[in-house]
C-alpha cells in the first residue's frame, strides 16, 4: 500500500512538468523542420548516391526520345555557358580549390543526386567585375539582371551603395582605422535609429548574426531564463542556439522550435517560466513553417509559398500581447528585411513594437554591420547594485569609422525625395508585378508561378517534375543572375523600373519555354509528387 501511495505521489509531483512537456510537443510543427533532433538523425542516416549520365536524364521514367532531347539540350547549354563565360568559369574553377565556401555552394546548387553531373558539365562563374543600375557584369563582359539581392543587402540598387560607401570613406578618412573610441557620426546614427525604431538605445556589432547573439544574451541576462523560442524554418544566423538542425554539429539545447502562427505555440508561451525571448524573422510570413526554399531540396514540385499580410500582422500582435504578459523579450530579427518593407522597417510595416530589433546587411550602406536597438531596461549590460553581474559584449571592429560613415550616408538617403518615392505604393507595385508574372505564365501554359512578400519572391511549380531545378540554369542562359539557392529566392532591388521588370519577365518566359521544349517538364497522367517521393525513397534504400 505504501508503495502505491508513493507512486501516486511521484506521479502527482511529475504531472505539471509532464503536461508542460506534452504541450511543448503539440506546439511543434509536424515537419522535420519542426523537429531538429529527428532531422539531424535522418541527415546522419541518409546515404549519398548519384546518377550516372544515363540515369541522369531518365530518373522520372521518361521514354528514350525524351531522354535524347534532354541530353542534347543539356550538352548544348553546357557548351554555350562554357563559351560565353569562359574567363568567369576558368577563374572560378581555379579559386574553388582554395575557397571552401565556393566548394559548398557548387555542391548544393541542385539536389545531391544530380550534383556530380551538373558540376562536371554545367559550370557557372562566381565572379563579377562590375555592377550598375539593376545589372551585374561578369569577367567576360556578359551583363545580367541582378536577382541575387546580395543576400538581402541590395535594397536600393548598386549605384546607391557605391555612393554611400564612397561618402562613408570620405567622411571618416581623417580618423582612419582608430577603434575603441568613436567617430562623431556614430552619435548621429544612434539618434536616427532611435527615431526610426521608437526604441531607447543602440549597440553596434560586426554582423547580423552577432547582433542576434547579443539580443538573445541580453534577454537571458535580464530574465534569468535560458531558453529561447524560434519558429519552424526561421533563419537567425548560423550560430548554435538559433540554427539547431542539420548543419550544426551540436544538438539543440536551450532552443524551442515551435510552430509559426499556431495557438498551441501561444499556449506554450503563456504556461512556461523558462523562456527568455521569442525571435521573429518576418520573412517567414512568405513560407510559414518551412525552411528557406533552395533548389538543392527541389526534388519534386511540392514547394509552396504564400503571404497573407493581415493574418501575419494578427499573429505578431498576439505574440506581442503574450510576451508582454509573461515578461518575455520579443525580438524582431530584421537583418534580412530591415528597410525593405518600409522606411521604418517591419515594426512600422506591421504596426507592432518589439522589445529589441536587430539589423544588418543593408544598414551598413554597403559595408558589413550589425545593430541592436532596444528598450532601455533590455539594453543595460550591468547592475550597479551588483558590480560583478555584467552582460559582456565586445568586438574589435564594432562601430568601425568607415562603416559608421556609410551608415550615416544610408540613413540620410532614406530622407531624400527619391528614396521616399520608392516606398510609395511599394506593396501594390510588387503585388501587381507578381500578378502579371503569374497570369503570363498561366496564359502561356508554363508550369511556373511566383509568391511574393513585396520585392522578395519565391518561384514554385504547378506540375510534378524532378527537374524543376534546371530552370535556374535556363534563367542564367537568358541573362538573369540568381544566388546559389536558385529559384527559391529572387530578390529585386526597389529601383527596378517597370521596363526593367518587363525585361526580366520576358527572359523568364523565354527560359521556361526553352526548358519546356527541351523535355524537362515531360509528364504522364500517373506522375505525382507522391509518386516522385516514392521513387526517391526506393533509390535511397535500394540504389
Amino acid at each position: 500500500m505504501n508503495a502505491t501511495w508513493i507512486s501516486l505521489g511521484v506521479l502527482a509531483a511529475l504531472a505539471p512538468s509532464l503536461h508542460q512537456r506534452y504541450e511543448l510537443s503539440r506546439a511543434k510543427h509536424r515537419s522535420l523542420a519542426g523537429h531538429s533532433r529527428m532531422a539531424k538523425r535522418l541527415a546522419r542516416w541518409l546515404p549519398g548516391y548519384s546518377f550516372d549520365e544515363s540515369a541522369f536524364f531518365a530518373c522520372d521514367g521518361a521514354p528514350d526520345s525524351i531522354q535524347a532531347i534532354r541530353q542534347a539540350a543539356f550538352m548544348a547549354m553546357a557548351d554555350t555557358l562554357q563559351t560565353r563565360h569562359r574567363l568567369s568559369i576558368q577563374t572560378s574553377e581555379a579559386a574553388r580549390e582554395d575557397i571552401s565556401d565556393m566548394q559548398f555552394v557548387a555542391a548544393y546548387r541542385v539536389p545531391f543526386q544530380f550534383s556530380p553531373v551538373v558540376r562536371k558539365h554545367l559550370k557557372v562563374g562566381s565572379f563579377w567585375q562590375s555592377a550598375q543600375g539593376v545589372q551585374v557584369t561578369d569577367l567576360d563582359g556578359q551583363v545580367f539582371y541582378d536577382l541575387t539581392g546580395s543576400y538581402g543587402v541590395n535594397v536600393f540598387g548598386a549605384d546607391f551603395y557605391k555612393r554611400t560607401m564612397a561618402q562613408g570613406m570620405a567622411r571618416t578618412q581623417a580618423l582612419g582605422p582608430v577603434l575603441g573610441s568613436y567617430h562623431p557620426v556614430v552619435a548621429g546614427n544612434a539618434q536616427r535609429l532611435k527615431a526610426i525604431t521608437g526604441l531607447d538605445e543602440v549597440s553596434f556589432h560586426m554582423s547580423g548574426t552577432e547582433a542576434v547573439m547579443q539580443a538573445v544574451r541580453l534577454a537571458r541576462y535580464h530574465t534569468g531564463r535560458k531558453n529561447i523560442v524560434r519558429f519552424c524554418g526561421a533563419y537567425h544566423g548560423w550560430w548554435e542556439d538559433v540554427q539547431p538542425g542539420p548543419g550544426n554539429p551540436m544538438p539543440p539545447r536551450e532552443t524551442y522550435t515551435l510552430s509559426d502562427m499556431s495557438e498551441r505555440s501561444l499556449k506554450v508561451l503563456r504556461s512556461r517560466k523558462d523562456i527568455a525571448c521569442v525571435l521573429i524573422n518576418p520573412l517567414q510570413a512568405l513560407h510559414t513553417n518551412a525552411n528557406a526554399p533552395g533548389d538543392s531540396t527541389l526534388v519534386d514540385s511540392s514547394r509552396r509559398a504564400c503571404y497573407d499580410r493581415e493574418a501575419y500582422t494578427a499573429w505578431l500582435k498576439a505574440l506581442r500581447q503574450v510576451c508582454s504578459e509573461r515578461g518575455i523579450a520579443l525580438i524582431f530579427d530584421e537583418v534580412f528585411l530591415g528597410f525593405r518593407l518600409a522606411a521604418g522597417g517591419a515594426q512600422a510595416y506591421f504596426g507592432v513594437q518589439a522589445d529589441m530589433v536587430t539589423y544588418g546587411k543593408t544598414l551598413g550602406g554597403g559595408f558589413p554591420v550589425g545593430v541592436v536597438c532596444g528598450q532601455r531596461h533590455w539594453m543595460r549590460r550591468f547592475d550597479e547594485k551588483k558590480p560583478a553581474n555584467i552582460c559582456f559584449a565586445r568586438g574589435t571592429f564594432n562601430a568601425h569609422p568607415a562603416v559608421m560613415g556609410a551608415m550615416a550616408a544610408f540613413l540620410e538617403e532614406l530622407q531624400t525625395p527619391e528614396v521616399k518615392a520608392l516606398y510609395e505604393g511599394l506593396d501594390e507595385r510588387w503585388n501587381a508585378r507578381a500578378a502579371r508574372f503569374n497570369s503570363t505564365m498561366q496564359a502561356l501554359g508554363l508550369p511556373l508561378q511566383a509568391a511574393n512578400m513585396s520585392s522578395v519572391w519565391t518561384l514554385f511549380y504547378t506540375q510534378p517534375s524532378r527537374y524543376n531545378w534546371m530552370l535556374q540554369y535556363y534563367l542564367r542562359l537568358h541573362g538573369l543572375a540568381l544566388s546559389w539557392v536558385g529559384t527559391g529566392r529572387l530578390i529585386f532591388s526597389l529601383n527596378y523600373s517597370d521596363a526593367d521588370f518587363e525585361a526580366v519577365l520576358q527572359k523568364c518566359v523565354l527560359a521556361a519555354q526553352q526548358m519546356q521544349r527541351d523535355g524537362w517538364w515531360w509528364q504522364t497522367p500517373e506522375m505525382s509528387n507522391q509518386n516522385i517521393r516514392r521513387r526517391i525513397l526506393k533509390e535511397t534504400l535500394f540504389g
Side-chain angles (χ1 to χ4, degrees), residues 95-96 98-108 126 151 484:
R96 190 170 293 123
D98 304 322
I99 303 174
S100 57
D101 283 353
M102 291 179 67
Q103 297 167 26
F104 181 89
V105 167
Y108 287 92
S126 299
Y151 293 125
W484 71 276

Side-chain angles (χ1 to χ4, degrees), residues 44 75 146 352 368 442 475:
R44 287 193 296 267
M75 294 306 176
D146 182 10
V352 177
Q442 189 172 18
L475 293 173

Side-chain angles (χ1 to χ4, degrees), residues 260-261 281-288 306-308 312 350 453:
D260 214 350
M261 301 184 71
N281 181 346
L283 184 59
Q284 283 303 110
L286 182 57
H287 42 83
T288 309
C306 180
Y307 171 50
D308 184 333
Y312 198 71
F350 291 108
M453 184 178 188

Side-chain angles (χ1 to χ4, degrees), residues 157-169:
D159 298 323
F160 175 98
Y161 297 96
K162 290 180 186 179
R163 188 165 62 250
T164 54
M165 291 170 75
Q167 290 174 3
M169 292 289 290

Side-chain angles (χ1 to χ4, degrees), residues 108-407:
Y108 287 92
R109 285 186 183 274
V110 303
F112 67 85
Q113 301 94 328
F114 301 93
S115 185
V117 173
V118 169
R119 278 181 282 167
K120 180 180 178 181
H121 295 289
L122 287 186
K123 301 180 185 296
V124 297
S126 299
F127 290 92
W128 305 105
Q129 65 169 295
S130 64
Q132 52 287 321
V134 295
Q135 296 177 320
V136 288
T137 303
D138 72 3
L139 305 187
D140 299 271
Q142 298 294 327
V143 179
F144 296 75
Y145 281 93
D146 182 10
L147 303 181
T148 71
S150 296
Y151 293 125
V153 171
N154 187 357
V155 175
F156 298 114
D159 298 323
F160 175 98
Y161 297 96
K162 290 180 186 179
R163 188 165 62 250
T164 54
M165 291 170 75
Q167 290 174 3
M169 292 289 290
R171 191 176 298 189
T172 61
Q173 191 170 15
L175 184 60
V178 174
L179 301 169
S181 300
Y182 301 104
H183 189 281
V185 295
V186 174
N189 289 345
Q191 288 295 321
R192 289 190 178 94
L193 287 169
K194 285 173 58 180
I196 287 170
T197 63
L199 297 168
D200 304 320
E201 295 184 10
V202 180
S203 65
F204 297 102
H205 306 273
M206 292 181 284
S207 71
T209 288
E210 285 195 11
V212 175
M213 291 170 70
Q214 172 63 2
V216 169
R217 175 172 280 195
L218 285 167
R220 285 169 165 164
Y221 173 69
H222 287 289
T223 62
R225 308 165 188 167
K226 67 177 183 179
N227 290 301
I228 68 176
V229 166
R230 64 183 283 273
F231 291 104
C232 180
Y235 183 75
H236 299 284
W238 54 265
W239 64 287
E240 289 182 3
D241 283 4
V242 296
Q243 201 267 308
N248 180 354
M250 297 298 292
R253 293 170 298 189
E254 287 86 34
T255 304
Y256 298 142
T257 298
L258 304 184
S259 184
D260 214 350
M261 301 184 71
S262 168
E263 180 61 38
R264 290 176 175 176
S265 297
L266 295 178
K267 190 172 183 180
V268 167
L269 295 175
R270 290 190 185 101
S271 62
R272 297 192 71 94
K273 300 178 180 180
D274 60 348
I275 297 172
C277 62
V278 172
L279 283 167
I280 290 292
N281 181 346
L283 184 59
Q284 283 303 110
L286 182 57
H287 42 83
T288 309
N289 291 309
N291 290 326
D295 284 0
S296 64
T297 58
L298 195 58
V299 297
D300 58 15
S301 299
S302 59
R303 176 197 286 169
R304 287 292 180 269
C306 180
Y307 171 50
D308 184 333
R309 179 176 177 177
E310 183 178 352
Y312 198 71
T313 300
W315 164 245
L316 292 180
K317 290 181 176 179
L319 278 175
R320 174 67 280 175
Q321 181 176 346
V322 172
C323 288
S324 296
E325 292 169 357
R326 302 297 295 173
I328 299 168
L330 180 62
I331 302 171
F332 274 21
D333 177 356
E334 296 196 42
V335 171
F336 187 96
L337 276 183
F339 305 100
R340 183 171 287 276
L341 301 178
Q347 287 191 117
Y349 180 81
F350 291 108
V352 177
Q353 182 78 61
D355 296 308
M356 288 181 277
V357 181
T358 62
Y359 296 108
K361 296 188 185 289
T362 195
L363 181 55
F367 289 121
V369 75
V371 173
V372 182
C373 302
Q375 295 177 3
R376 193 172 306 281
H377 69 277
W378 288 110
M379 296 291 286
R380 195 168 182 83
R381 299 181 185 174
F382 62 95
D383 183 347
E384 291 188 1
K385 296 179 180 179
K386 299 178 181 179
N389 182 21
I390 62 174
C391 183
F392 194 78
R394 292 302 302 160
T396 300
F397 291 99
N398 291 357
H400 187 285
V403 177
M404 291 296 102
M407 182 187 294

